[in-house]
Amino acid sequence: MHTTSRWSQRLLAGAVALAGVAILAATLASTPSGAATPNEAVTTSAATAASTAADATKVVTVRPVDAAGRPAAGYTVKRERLGAGITCWGASPSAVESGIAICGPSAAYLPACWKSRNHTVLCLRDARSTQLVRVRYEGRFRTRGLQEVASPINLDLPKQQCGIRVGGAWSYPPSHPRWVGYYFCQKGGIYGPSDGNGGIDRSSDTWTVRFWNESGPRVPQRRVETAYVVGTAA
């Protein structure tokens, strides 16, 4: 009786082992050639997410001037005498809050200005710089028309730095005669349709633009690495 019991146990163990092999074989057979296993799929998904996060456009808000019209810590001021005719007529397109104006004429290039003392404004031309310019303006300091979505004052593309356009006459890509220029860059410009998006496609976390350098009809897509908008310091 004791011998029979041991023999039965051996048969049962063998059957369990064979069943395990069969299940493993069936599992492998049901996995398509080249398909990822669950662990591989998780790893691939995580890698894709990490890659997407790394490519996402970084939006930086710079705050160079406080509400009293004084330069924020770390910023320096240079006075410029631009003569008569400097006016501040509306909200800066790059502002994320009220109280920041765009001033002109366009040749002065004053895309973001804050009201300061003695009928002057402090203006930022490049968000990557800590240099402000102080200029005297005429008339009232107007900041009406704040945009719901700010158009960055500066954009960083791969191997290109760009600044927002402030007026002026621009050419257009031959392949897109109805497009307008939105940003000037070191070796070309950013163009797009007049659809209210300011030349930037924000449909994903990685913003893109269309770049043209006047060397041909092509207007290739470029990724925006960093976008700079402006606000007021506390």
Side-chain angles (χ1 to χ4, degrees), residues 90-111:
S92 168
S94 305
V96 294
E97 55 201 30
S98 61
I100 307 169
I102 181 172
C103 304
S106 59
Y109 196 71
L110 304 172

Side-chain angles (χ1 to χ4, degrees), residues 109-214:
Y109 196 71
L110 304 172
C113 300
W114 289 257
K115 187 177 181 181
S116 189
R117 56 181 172 80
N118 300 327
H119 218 70
T120 65
V121 287
L122 292 179
C123 301
L124 182 70
R125 290 178 170 142
D126 187 342
R128 310 175 200 89
S129 170
T130 57
Q131 178 75 65
L132 297 166
V133 294
R134 183 185 297 280
V135 298
R136 187 171 181 82
Y137 68 96
E138 298 177 355
R140 296 177 58 189
F141 181 80
R142 295 182 173 88
T143 60
R144 293 181 179 177
L146 181 67
Q147 293 185 179
E148 185 176 349
V149 178
S151 296
I153 187 172
N154 293 104
L155 297 175
D156 287 345
L157 315 181
K159 300 181 181 181
Q160 288 280 340
Q161 292 184 332
C162 309
I164 193 169
R165 174 185 180 179
V166 178
W170 284 31
S171 57
Y172 54 80
S175 57
H176 296 86
R178 295 182 180 276
W179 281 15
V180 297
Y182 290 98
Y183 291 85
F184 63 88
C185 307
Q186 293 157 311
K187 297 179 180 180
I190 292 171
Y191 289 75
S194 302
D195 57 4
N197 292 319
I200 303 173
D201 183 349
R202 299 178 174 88
S203 59
S204 73
D205 290 340
T206 302
W207 297 0
T208 58
V209 294
R210 293 288 183 172
F211 180 82
W212 183 55
N213 63 5
E214 300 189 12

Side-chain angles (χ1 to χ4, degrees), residues 6-96:
R6 287 184 177 178
W7 180 248
S8 299
Q9 290 175 359
R10 289 176 183 176
L11 286 175
L12 180 60
V16 170
L18 288 174
V21 171
I23 291 171
L24 176 60
T27 301
L28 293 175
S30 65
T31 303
S33 176
T37 65
N39 285 341
E40 289 173 339
V42 170
T43 303
T44 302
S45 178
T48 301
S51 176
T52 301
D55 289 340
T57 298
K58 182 179 180 182
V59 180
V60 176
T61 302
V62 296
R63 300 179 181 276
V65 182
D66 66 19
R70 298 170 300 202
Y75 284 85
T76 58
V77 178
K78 175 185 177 183
R79 179 146 192 140
E80 287 192 2
R81 299 185 184 279
L82 300 178
I86 300 297
T87 59
C88 302
W89 66 83
S92 168
S94 305
V96 294

